[in-house]
Amino acid sequence: MFAKKTYEQRRNKLSRQVKSGLLLFLSNGESPMNYAANTYRYRQDSTFLYFFGLSFPGLAAVIDVDEERQTVFGDDVGMEDIIWMGPQPSLKSRCAKVGIAATRPLVELSGVLQQAVRQGRKVHFLPPYRGENALWLEKLLGIRAGTVKDYASVEFVKAVVAQRALKNAEEVKEIESALTVSAAMYREAMAMAQPGIYEKEIAGWIEGIALAGGGQLAFPAIVTVHGETLHNHYHGNRLREGDLLLIDSGAETESGYASDITRTVPVGGRFDPVQRSVYEAVLDMQLTAITMIRPGVSYRDIHLKSAAVLVDRLKNLGLMKGSTAEAVAAGAHALFFPHGLGHMLGLDVHDMENLGEVHVGYDDKTRRSQQFGLAYLRLARKLEPGHVLTVEPGIYFIPALIDQWRNENRHAAFIRYDKVEKFRCFGGMRIEDDVLVTPRGCRVLGPPIPKATAEVEAAVGGG
Ligand code: GLY
Ligand code: MN
Ligand code: MN
């Protein structure tokens, strides 16, 4: 939790940005795993956390912009809760720490909102992503849960994004502390990448490090010898000499800030010559992208430059041909790089994705492409100082996609399908780091995690 004035400043700035009406914030509830009392680890909604810093369920908050009133609605625990949870600080004392003096019982929320609606005042709310909160909004505002998202306030969304997108020094420090945990996770994971070990052993070990860091994983870890499956959460394979192991994981600090790192390592500690060439191509894509990051440059242009590096490298390997610029314009590279270069990072690993990528990664001047590959780019807009984003290019050989494109003869002017065939069992590689946009350029955040081939081989071989 930050100092009281951080939350006060954030809320006051928000109130100035939204012209009038009531801003409604809902906390996340507990989320059951398999029956009501057996819950997942509690995770507060990130926007609630950002503006109110309170990380427990059963809360709502209202900022009355016109009357300059900020109220948290919630209840103190009763004896039954104390028996199971132990004594808890009062709501008033918790709210005082984040600069909120006015608290009211949760049951009064509905009356406050209904009165505002009767007076013809606007109640701004954010699009819900949990079913329970969609139902809660239905109850509070009388809008059917199935359609409530359509009534979310774009003005409120834009004001929240405008603030949360720009990380200040204390937030960057939190992200770097998540990255310090990541560095420990990768040190262990790389050393464990030896023949005979199961993916699940590494997955379990690194999750333990994230928990021991005081937080948790920022998202379920990807630890796989099938990196060509982008979000592969199966951990049952046994590592063999010669496999490539892709590990994409992040830590979340106690305060909720995330890291997001990917490394691809050779099991046993030696890249073979072909693996080395493909790895160096991915690294070139990433380092080229990082050198371009500075205010005023659009992330779409950086994504496309990274794609051009890929095409040049694959031409050298004999897998692509023709004009690099034309291949990228046509989207031919997406056979090997079918996702975007990165996304914003903050309190969410895909920061604010629940508020709509169209408002986070795009803006009025930057529209999403419909082209396969480029359409998955989560961040395309011009960069500003304070943005924190991931840079995560990859090269993948996805057999089903290769077969589909070859059968259609898709982009045959740029792809040498006969040569690609030899790579169909290669797998996939990705390298991901987290980068802060600074006034003049950028800074790769966190302690260094082995990335050059020799460093990666040493980190694995040293195990
Ligand atoms: N693991 C999700 C991502 O890197 O975006
Ligand atoms: Mn990742
Ligand atoms: Mn990522």
Side-chain angles (χ1 to χ4, degrees):
M1 191 186 280
F2 299 123
K4 179 161 60 172
K5 79 168 186 327
T6 295
Y7 300 104
E8 289 171 342
Q9 282 167 354
R10 288 172 175 179
R11 290 192 299 265
N12 293 341
K13 191 165 172 192
L14 187 68
S15 303
R16 287 194 297 274
Q17 267 170 304
V18 180
K19 304 274 170 318
S20 72
L22 276 66
L23 307 179
L24 171 64
F25 302 79
L26 300 183
S27 71
N28 277 342
E30 295 283 8
S31 191
M33 271 195 279
N34 47 356
Y35 54 92
N38 195 26
T39 57
Y40 289 103
R41 182 179 166 124
Y42 179 71
R43 179 58 159 81
Q44 183 57 286
D45 170 71
S46 295
T47 298
F48 201 94
L49 210 47
Y50 184 86
F51 289 103
F52 293 91
L54 301 169
S55 187
F56 54 97
L59 301 175
V62 172
I63 297 180
D64 187 324
V65 175
D66 311 301
E67 299 190 8
E68 297 182 11
R69 198 183 311 130
Q70 304 181 350
T71 312
V72 166
F73 294 79
D75 300 311
D76 282 320
V77 296
M79 183 51 70
E80 220 170 293
D81 298 310
I82 292 171
I83 292 167
W84 294 97
M85 300 160 61
Q88 305 293 317
S90 70
L91 183 62
K92 269 240 168 293
S93 68
R94 286 169 135 164
C95 285
K97 290 200 169 121
V98 294
I100 293 282
T103 62
R104 294 176 67 171
L106 191 57
V107 69
E108 293 181 11
L109 174 65
S110 151
V112 168
L113 298 178
Q114 278 164 19
Q115 191 191 2
V117 170
R118 272 198 307 274
Q119 292 169 339
R121 301 182 66 206
K122 170 103 179 150
V123 177
H124 300 268
F125 61 87
L126 301 172
Y129 53 90
R130 289 196 180 185
E132 290 84 348
N133 280 6
L135 290 169
W136 195 5
L137 285 168
E138 174 175 302
K139 224 164 129 190
L140 290 169
L141 299 171
I143 305 168
R144 278 193 296 123
T147 61
V148 74
K149 251 186 171 173
D150 304 336
Y151 295 89
S153 163
V154 173
E155 192 186 356
F156 189 11
V157 165
K158 284 186 169 175
V160 170
V161 170
Q163 267 201 72
R164 283 185 55 193
L166 303 178
K167 276 73 183 177
N168 68 8
E170 59 186 353
E171 293 182 279
V172 171
K173 203 166 152 217
E174 283 297 314
I175 293 170
E176 292 210 277
S177 97
L179 281 161
T180 300
V181 178
S182 277
M185 288 160 69
Y186 278 86
R187 205 163 37 242
E188 295 282 333
M190 287 183 178
M192 284 177 80
Q194 307 301 333
I197 295 276
Y198 282 89
E199 294 162 337
K200 60 192 167 195
E201 294 178 71
I202 301 176
W205 198 260
I206 62 176
E207 181 159 3
I209 295 171
L211 293 171
Q216 60 178 339
L217 289 178
F219 56 92
I222 297 167
V223 181
T224 182
V225 292
H226 285 292
E228 74 279 9
T229 301
L230 298 184
H231 277 176
N232 194 337
H233 290 119
Y234 177 71
H235 294 153
N237 293 303
R238 194 171 185 188
L239 311 191
R240 296 166 311 176
E241 187 84 40
D243 282 342
L244 290 169
L245 180 69
L246 185 152
I247 305 166
D248 182 348
S249 69
E252 180 179 289
T253 60
E254 218 168 340
S255 60
Y257 285 84
S259 57
D260 187 9
I261 293 288
T262 305
R263 291 292 185 267
T264 309
V265 306
V267 171
R270 293 293 293 173
F271 286 109
D272 72 28
V274 176
Q275 290 171 339
R276 187 179 300 272
S277 318
V278 177
Y279 187 92
E280 279 168 356
V282 181
L283 189 57
D284 191 7
M285 291 165 75
Q286 202 222 25
L287 296 177
T288 302
I290 291 171
T291 60
M292 289 177 72
I293 294 176
R294 73 181 69 91
V297 179
S298 92
Y299 207 52
R300 190 208 304 267
D301 287 347
I302 299 178
H303 169 91
L304 292 173
K305 175 64 187 174
S306 184
V309 171
L310 163 80
V311 174
D312 283 339
R313 288 282 185 158
L314 291 191
K315 275 163 51 179
N316 288 341
L317 284 171
L319 302 180
M320 292 191 79
K321 59 185 175 176
S323 149
T324 297
E326 285 172 23
V328 170
H333 61 279
L335 176 61
F336 310 101
F337 178 31
H339 62 74
L341 186 62
H343 49 85
M344 289 213 193
L345 177 79
L347 280 167
D348 309 301
V349 62
H350 290 177
D351 208 25
M352 301 175 281
E353 195 162 287
N354 60 309
L355 300 178
E357 265 172 28
V358 66
H359 301 299
V360 178
Y362 291 78
D363 55 29
D364 297 339
K365 291 181 219 83
T366 321
R367 298 277 172 220
R368 189 187 285 274
S369 164
Q370 298 298 312
Q371 187 185 72
F372 175 79
L374 194 51
Y376 295 126
L377 183 61
R378 294 190 158 99
L379 174 61
R381 68 195 244 194
K382 274 195 178 152
L383 301 179
E384 295 173 42
H387 283 167
V388 174
L389 45 96
T390 67
V391 189
E392 50 178 308
I395 297 181
Y396 313 91
F397 295 87
I398 304 167
L401 189 63
I402 294 169
D403 290 344
Q404 187 201 50
W405 280 37
R406 194 193 49 231
N407 290 341
E408 294 170 0
N409 226 13
R410 203 188 291 194
H411 298 310
F414 305 113
I415 297 167
R416 292 183 187 273
Y417 284 105
D418 53 333
K419 298 288 187 329
V420 171
E421 206 48 49
K422 300 196 178 71
F423 281 74
R424 63 185 292 124
C425 296
F426 180 92
M429 290 182 161
R430 177 165 63 253
I431 304 173
E432 176 174 24
D433 281 304
D434 305 337
V435 175
L436 168 70
V437 183
T438 60
R440 289 167 167 225
C442 71
R443 180 163 73 81
V444 178
L445 296 176
I449 296 172
K451 186 159 76 167
T453 50
E455 292 167 358
V456 168
E457 288 183 341
V460 177

